Amino acid sequence: FVEVDPAVASVVRAQHPEQRQVHSYDIACKYGVHFRKRVTTEIEGGPLIKAEDFPKDIQFLVPAWHILGHVDECLARYHFRYTSLVGRTAGEGVETIWSALNGYQYSTREMGHGHRRDTLTDMMNHFNWTKIRKEARRLFYAYFDAVREYQQKEGELQSMEATIPDEHLRKMAEESEQRGAEQYLSSTIQAPTKTQILRTIRDAEDAEARTTFSTTSHSEAMFIDNAIDLADLQYQVEVKRAEIEPNPGGDGQRRALLLTEERLRNRISEHFATLFRVAPTLQEAELVRGQPPTSQKLYLPSEFSPDDRVRYKLENLAAKESQLQVAEAHDALRRLRNALGLKALLLENQKIHIRGYDKVSKAQASINTAEKGVKRAKEAYNRARAALKLLGVDIGPESKVAHFQELTKDDLVPLRDFTSDRRFVAKNQEIPWIWKSVGGLDASQEGESGVVRTITSWNNEVVRLAWVHARAARDRWWEELVLLKEELRRVGKSFLHRAAEWQGTADAALVGKQSRFTRGVRAYALRQAAIYNFLAADAQKRYQDVVEPSQPKRFGNREGENEALVSIAE
């Protein structure tokens, strides 16, 4: 981060150290970890920020769109939606200009460097001026939109809390307070994720490298993790080909598929290059290569017999694969449960709320996507389970590692099918084991009472998650109301300040000898001052309408809504 730190430090230094700062950055989860240490460390010329000037409260968050590509731990800790006192800030404001600039990509690509730069500068200036001119109006209407959103979220939260016993509600509040950011993650599924296991193995590898002074740049754990992901990519490409081949008119899709297959071939080539580095003895083996990319064997330790693993010295690699495959099986079961729940929710929503051909078609497309998620998770679980069996890992009922049963069609049933009538049964079927083992508990050994306890625990966790997310949504909209009102006040003050600056420029033009140039400067400055005075007056009037709505009926459409808008605005 050596090139980024000076720029960020200059912004941080410009603020008072007692002022809270929230910075938005795509990789804030990594960047902010040692930020204080980096910028306060003595270097030639002094530290970027003096220790006594470092902010008392500084926070790094990931923008709302980019956070969706991060792991769950990042989602809970660095999401704007789960951070207090930021309202509904998305953190993507600087990105919005690209939607305006994209339309000029074809004309500017034909320009020279200077012409292109001037054109883009003009476009950006126009974009900024348009935002300035419309800012007070945007904030004005955004405020009353936020009022309605807040009322809706508050109503949803109150309706939810009305169905929860007071004692249960109190316990959920206490637990959420204790867990902090982790409250937004499920605590029912306690099995370690593959990311956590990978991090543990990597730490052990790093410690061993420091002890043995090893200089290898290839992590065995990362190699296996990439191979597991590569097997999943092979499955996805195979599924995509099966979807496209029967389609006689899908030329564009076929070209995209060919490009994807080419990328898959390149990744397979990289995989084999790394394989021979982490397991050089395999260069002596007769490995079959050049197969179709979706069926190419990856030659992980699980694909060798026990004797061959000893012969090629793959025991250490096999031990790491077994740990990662256990975590992959747990992750696959988690994704399977989530996909089944999503599919059930979409089906129920389509049945109750969706009407009309277009809406039904879109809803069915979402259901089909969820079904693909079910099949993909099932396939990932089966691959991990098969690898564990080949590695000789005990995954039976008495296993101390995990009990991974064979998945059948009857297991792929949403939990709500068993809990809708509170009898925990559906069509006289037994509850699938994938739900009984939630949280690392194998309730199948506990009888019916164990099943009830496990599913009740799962349902309680679903309620808790729904409640903490509903409360966070309500709180963020309330904060948005406060922020929008204050922003509107400051916009008016800012316009007055800009008007005073231009008026000062106009007055300065009267000093000294007058000429056509100074008269032109004064005329332009007076015009700018008049524009900003007009914008300031409009902003101040809108702010007064927010603080003391004179015509609240223009915002409310339902009986009683106007009074609520007035009371919240006050």
Side-chain angles (χ1 to χ4, degrees):
F1 306 114
V2 65
E3 296 179 350
V4 181
D5 283 342
V8 178
S10 66
V11 175
V12 173
R13 286 197 309 268
Q15 314 302 318
H16 194 280
E18 297 293 336
Q19 183 180 12
R20 184 194 186 210
Q21 297 187 35
V22 178
H23 294 260
S24 173
Y25 189 22
D26 297 354
I27 54 170
C29 50
K30 297 294 185 184
Y31 179 76
V33 175
H34 299 296
F35 176 74
R36 181 189 183 103
K37 180 180 178 181
R38 293 197 305 271
V39 299
T40 57
T41 300
E42 288 287 343
I43 57 176
E44 184 178 355
L48 294 175
I49 302 176
K50 295 180 180 179
E52 58 271 20
D53 294 334
F54 194 83
K56 301 296 188 296
D57 185 3
I58 185 170
Q59 197 167 6
F60 290 89
L61 302 178
V62 179
W65 186 79
H66 288 83
I67 191 69
L68 300 178
H70 289 230
V71 297
D72 290 346
E73 289 80 2
C74 288
L75 196 69
R77 293 181 180 276
Y78 300 101
H79 202 311
F80 276 89
R81 295 295 179 264
Y82 303 143
T83 304
S84 61
L85 305 180
V86 298
R88 294 283 297 178
T89 303
E92 301 279 6
V94 71
E95 306 276 0
T96 57
I97 193 172
W98 295 115
S99 62
L101 292 179
N102 283 342
Y104 298 94
Q105 58 180 312
Y106 302 107
S107 58
T108 55
R109 69 172 54 165
E110 305 297 333
M111 299 177 183
H113 175 73
H115 189 191
R116 183 188 304 113
R117 183 169 182 173
D118 289 344
T119 300
L120 293 177
T121 299
D122 287 342
M123 294 305 103
M124 291 180 182
N125 287 338
H126 174 72
F127 179 83
N128 292 336
W129 170 244
T130 302
K131 286 187 67 175
I132 290 172
R133 184 169 53 85
K134 296 181 178 180
E135 187 65 4
R137 181 176 182 271
R138 183 192 71 81
L139 292 171
F140 179 70
Y141 288 105
Y143 176 82
F144 288 97
D145 288 340
V147 169
R148 294 194 184 90
E149 289 290 343
Y150 169 74
Q151 290 177 330
Q152 178 182 347
K153 300 303 180 185
E154 174 69 12
E156 292 174 355
L157 183 62
Q158 290 179 355
S159 299
M160 183 184 302
E161 291 181 343
T163 65
I164 303 174
D166 293 340
E167 182 64 19
H168 190 185
L169 194 62
R170 183 184 63 80
K171 289 181 179 179
M172 287 196 304
E174 292 177 354
E175 180 184 352
S176 299
E177 185 69 23
Q178 293 172 357
R179 295 183 60 187
E182 299 297 326
Q183 65 182 291
Y184 301 107
L185 300 177
S186 173
S187 61
T188 300
I189 304 173
Q190 300 172 353
T193 65
K194 189 174 66 167
T195 302
Q196 293 171 327
I197 295 297
L198 178 63
R199 188 181 301 122
T200 302
I201 300 177
R202 286 296 308 276
D203 290 343
E205 288 179 340
D206 292 341
E208 181 182 359
R210 288 192 296 268
T211 303
T212 60
F213 301 100
S214 173
T215 59
T216 179
S217 60
H218 301 284
S219 164
E220 295 178 346
M222 284 298 300
F223 164 73
I224 295 171
D225 180 61
N226 290 334
I228 292 174
D229 293 341
L230 186 56
D232 182 61
L233 181 59
Q234 287 179 310
Y235 168 77
Q236 293 182 66
V237 173
E238 184 178 5
V239 170
K240 195 66 177 177
R241 172 168 287 280
E243 292 176 352
I244 292 176
E245 284 184 344
N247 182 9
D251 292 338
Q253 290 182 327
R254 283 194 176 88
R255 285 194 295 270
L257 177 62
L258 291 175
L259 290 174
T260 303
E261 288 183 338
E262 183 61 28
R263 287 194 293 269
L264 178 58
R265 289 190 186 93
N266 293 336
R267 284 196 58 180
I268 290 174
S269 298
E270 295 172 1
H271 165 80
F272 276 100
T274 308
L275 172 64
F276 294 134
R277 292 190 180 98
V278 298
T281 54
L282 288 180
Q283 297 181 22
E284 305 170 4
E286 297 180 359
L287 305 184
V288 179
R289 300 177 60 179
Q291 296 175 311
T294 56
S295 58
Q296 173 65 60
K297 291 183 65 174
L298 302 179
Y299 295 103
L300 285 173
S302 56
E303 299 181 56
F304 291 87
S305 67
D307 292 339
D308 284 341
R309 286 199 289 270
V310 174
R311 176 185 176 187
Y312 296 116
K313 301 179 181 180
L314 303 177
E315 299 95 326
N316 188 48
L317 203 62
K320 293 179 180 179
E321 183 189 357
S322 65
Q323 296 180 63
L324 288 170
Q325 292 288 10
V326 168
E328 172 68 7
H330 281 301
D331 281 0
L333 287 176
R334 182 192 64 195
R335 296 194 298 268
L336 179 60
R337 286 189 285 262
N338 291 341
L340 286 170
L342 176 61
K343 179 184 175 182
L345 182 64
L346 293 172
L347 285 169
E348 183 176 347
N349 185 57
Q350 181 192 42
K351 181 179 179 181
I352 298 175
H353 301 292
I354 304 300
R355 298 291 183 273
Y357 178 78
D358 291 340
K359 292 183 178 180
V360 169
S361 298
K362 292 179 180 179
Q364 189 59 48
S366 299
I367 293 169
N368 293 339
T369 300
E371 176 62 23
K372 291 178 184 177
V374 172
K375 294 179 179 178
R376 180 181 173 185
K378 175 186 174 183
E379 186 67 22
Y381 172 80
N382 288 336
R383 284 196 304 269
R385 182 174 182 270
L388 289 170
K389 293 180 68 175
L390 291 171
L391 288 168
V393 178
D394 182 11
I395 55 174
E398 306 299 327
S399 171
K400 296 182 180 180
V401 177
H403 181 197
F404 293 132
Q405 303 182 40
E406 182 180 0
L407 275 178
T408 66
K409 183 178 179 181
D410 293 336
D411 293 325
L412 306 181
V413 181
L415 183 63
R416 65 175 56 218
D417 288 359
F418 295 86
T419 60
S420 58
D421 58 0
R422 298 182 179 276
R423 291 186 294 112
F424 307 113
V425 292
K427 300 180 181 178
N428 298 320
Q429 296 177 355
E430 183 183 357
I431 298 172
W433 66 270
I434 64 172
W435 297 107
K436 296 178 184 180
S437 60
V438 169
L441 302 174
D442 191 354
S444 61
Q445 305 291 333
E446 304 177 19
E448 184 62 23
S449 61
V451 172
V452 172
R453 282 198 305 272
T454 301
I455 295 185
T456 300
S457 173
W458 175 264
N459 286 335
N460 288 341
E461 179 66 3
V462 171
V463 171
R464 188 194 67 80
L465 286 172
W467 178 72
V468 296
H469 284 84
R471 187 177 61 167
R474 188 274 313 270
D475 292 346
R476 296 298 84 76
W477 278 111
W478 172 254
E479 295 163 4
E480 185 73 359
L481 286 174
V482 177
L483 291 173
L484 287 171
K485 185 188 292 187
E486 179 61 17
E487 284 183 48
L488 186 54
R489 185 188 71 83
R490 295 190 184 193
V491 163
K493 295 287 187 181
S494 175
F495 288 156
L496 285 176
H497 178 72
R498 296 292 296 274
E501 285 184 330
W502 281 111
Q503 185 63 50
T505 302
D507 295 340
L510 293 175
V511 179
K513 185 178 179 180
Q514 298 294 300
S515 66
R516 294 175 61 184
F517 174 76
T518 56
R519 288 194 296 271
V521 170
R522 175 173 171 77
Y524 182 80
L526 288 174
R527 179 177 179 272
Q528 291 297 104
I531 290 174
Y532 279 106
N533 278 320
F534 173 81
L535 293 175
D538 177 64
Q540 290 174 329
K541 182 180 182 302
R542 293 183 186 277
Y543 177 70
Q544 289 302 318
D545 286 343
V546 165
V547 177
E548 300 175 359
S550 57
Q551 295 179 322
K553 65 177 63 179
R554 82 175 84 172
F555 306 109
N557 296 321
R558 296 187 297 274
E559 183 179 355
E561 188 179 53
N562 297 337
E563 292 76 6
L565 289 168
V566 175
S567 63
I568 291 178
E570 293 174 346

